[in-house]
């Protein structure tokens, strides 16, 4: 059975203070690992898809990496507008749906 | 490109009442999903359609929940009768390739 565990549950950072969010996963054949951002009262917004161990993707202040057991979302010099809940999800081979973790709620303080 | 549309955005009902949610996916997207997101949790799949056929409804509580996708485009999700534990955000998503999901804004349901 697929499992996705995200840590920490909540993270408070000062503006400019870099950090990382963790997503540990267990899946029977990984088709893709997804990172989404969710703002209050909105649906999840796509950030990245990672397909295989060793892969990295970047977008502005965010960088996602993938190993065989976990993924990290690195946030470099965050700004208050990066405050949101970050969701990790996996899709196993043969499936078209996503299995989500519970998310990390990030707050960036000016 | 227009996004996934959902209505209503908010709904408050009493337990044992019925409620329906509507979703219009991105044009051309064959796959449509309904997810339930309880406060503080990640979205959980309820049902997945490919065109107008059901692909996966294994997590749908079929004694009270039903869903249909009309002509392979719009979809409605119904709950009858509602329970307190159905209070959640109901997210509709669509996908062109069954891979990347595009989510709508969700419908927040409160059951009192």
């Amino acid at each position: 059975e697929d499992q996705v565990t995200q840590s920490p549950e909540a993270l408070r950072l000062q503006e400019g203070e870099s950090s990382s969010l963790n997503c540990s996963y267990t899946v029977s054949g990984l088709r893709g690992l997804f990172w989404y951002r969710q703002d209050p009262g909105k649906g999840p917004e796509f950030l990245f898809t990672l397909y295989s161990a060793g892969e990295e993707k970047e977008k502005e202040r965010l960088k996602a990496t993938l190993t065989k057991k976990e993924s990290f979302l690195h946030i470099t010099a965050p700004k208050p507008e990066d405050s949101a809940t970050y969701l990790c999800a996996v899709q196993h081979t043969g499936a078209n749906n996503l299995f989500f973790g519970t998310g990390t709620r990030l707050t960036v303080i000016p | 490109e227009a996004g996934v549309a959902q209505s209503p955005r908010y709904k408050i009902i009493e337990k044992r009442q019925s409620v329906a949610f509507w979703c219009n996916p991105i044009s051309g997207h064959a796959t449509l999903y309904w997810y339930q997101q309880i406060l503080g949790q990640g979205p959980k799949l309820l049902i997945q359609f490919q065109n107008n056929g059901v692909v996966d409804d294994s997590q749908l509580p079929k004694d009270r929940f039903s869903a249909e996708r009309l002509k392979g485009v719009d979809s409605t999700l119904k709950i009858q009768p509602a329970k307190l534990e159905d209070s959640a955000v109901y997210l509709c998503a669509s996908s062109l390739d069954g891979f990347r999901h595009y989510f709508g804004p969700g419908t927040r349901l409160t059951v009192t």
Side-chain angles (χ1 to χ4, degrees):
Chain A
E1 184 177 311
D2 298 346
Q3 286 192 338
V4 177
T5 303
Q6 291 190 247
S7 62
E9 289 186 10
L11 182 62
R12 288 172 64 90
L13 299 173
Q14 292 289 332
E15 184 172 0
E17 179 187 3
S18 301
S19 188
S20 295
L21 282 55
N22 177 263
C23 171
S24 298
Y25 66 91
T26 303
V27 64
S28 56
L30 181 70
R31 186 181 181 206
L33 184 140
F34 298 76
W35 283 98
Y36 280 83
R37 169 189 171 133
Q38 188 172 27
D39 292 294
K42 296 187 177 181
E45 176 186 345
F46 173 80
L47 292 173
F48 304 108
T49 307
L50 301 167
Y51 299 92
S52 58
E55 189 175 3
E56 300 182 351
K57 288 192 176 174
E58 289 188 62
K59 179 182 178 180
E60 296 179 357
R61 295 177 293 283
L62 300 177
K63 178 173 147 180
T65 62
L66 181 66
T67 72
K68 289 186 178 180
K69 294 184 178 181
E70 57 191 350
S71 177
F72 292 93
L73 185 65
H74 307 278
I75 303 176
T76 302
K79 297 182 178 182
E81 53 262 42
D82 295 322
S83 297
T85 294
Y86 290 84
L87 295 165
C88 172
V90 296
Q91 187 176 69
H92 66 253
T93 53
N96 288 336
N97 60 286
L98 298 179
F99 188 89
F100 283 87
T102 54
T104 293
R105 188 172 67 255
L106 174 67
T107 304
V108 182
I109 304 162
Chain B
E1 176 181 78
V4 176
Q6 291 188 246
S7 68
R9 293 296 315 278
Y10 306 92
K11 190 75 176 178
I12 300 174
I13 62 172
E14 296 182 353
K15 59 184 179 183
R16 292 187 291 274
Q17 287 187 324
S18 62
V19 65
F21 313 127
W22 173 83
C23 172
N24 181 242
I26 293 173
S27 177
H29 282 196
T31 310
L32 185 148
Y33 312 82
W34 284 100
Y35 286 83
Q36 180 193 57
Q37 187 175 25
I38 294 172
L39 186 65
Q41 298 183 18
K44 186 185 84 169
L45 180 71
L46 290 175
I47 188 167
Q48 176 187 337
F49 293 93
Q50 181 73 19
N51 296 309
N52 61 352
V54 175
V55 173
D56 184 354
D57 64 355
S58 58
Q59 301 300 309
L60 188 73
K62 299 181 185 65
D63 58 333
R64 298 183 300 107
F65 286 64
S66 64
E68 61 179 0
R69 189 174 184 192
L70 305 173
K71 300 180 180 178
V73 182
D74 293 6
S75 179
T76 34
L77 176 70
K78 296 180 182 178
I79 308 175
Q80 181 179 12
K83 292 186 175 182
L84 295 176
E85 58 260 36
D86 298 331
S87 294
V89 175
Y90 291 84
L91 293 163
C92 179
S94 69
S95 177
L96 180 64
D97 55 8
F99 203 43
R100 175 176 167 176
H101 286 36
Y102 294 80
F103 285 88
T107 296
R108 180 176 297 277
L109 173 67
T110 302
V111 182
T112 63

